[in-house]
Amino acid sequence: MEKTEWIRCPVCGGKTRLQIREDTELKNFPLYCPKCKQESLIEAKDLRVTIIKEPDA
């Protein structure tokens, strides 16, 4: 059985509505948090989630 984890919000640390598995790869994924109502751009690979920092426009 493959390991799964909930994706946590990088802003507030709350659980989002998404799970990722070990073989999940995300690039430039807009993650929305229902708790703090913030949207963050993330990448995920091998159960590691990284936040993509965007320059201020």
Side-chain angles (χ1 to χ4, degrees):
M1 189 166 123
E2 293 195 26
K3 185 177 177 182
T4 61
E5 286 187 8
W6 288 99
I7 298 179
R8 296 213 167 252
C9 173
V11 177
C12 71
K15 228 175 13 174
T16 62
R17 295 183 177 128
L18 299 174
Q19 280 187 327
I20 56 173
R21 299 187 332 182
E22 290 175 326
D23 61 346
T24 301
E25 290 187 26
L26 297 172
K27 291 189 181 195
N28 298 327
F29 184 78
L31 177 68
Y32 176 75
C33 176
K35 184 177 177 185
C36 67
K37 297 178 179 30
Q38 297 283 326
E39 189 173 289
S40 304
L41 205 56
I42 64 165
E43 290 187 352
K45 186 174 183 179
D46 298 326
L47 293 177
R48 292 189 185 190
V49 177
T50 54
I51 305 152
I52 301 170
K53 304 261 184 194
E54 291 186 355
D56 293 334

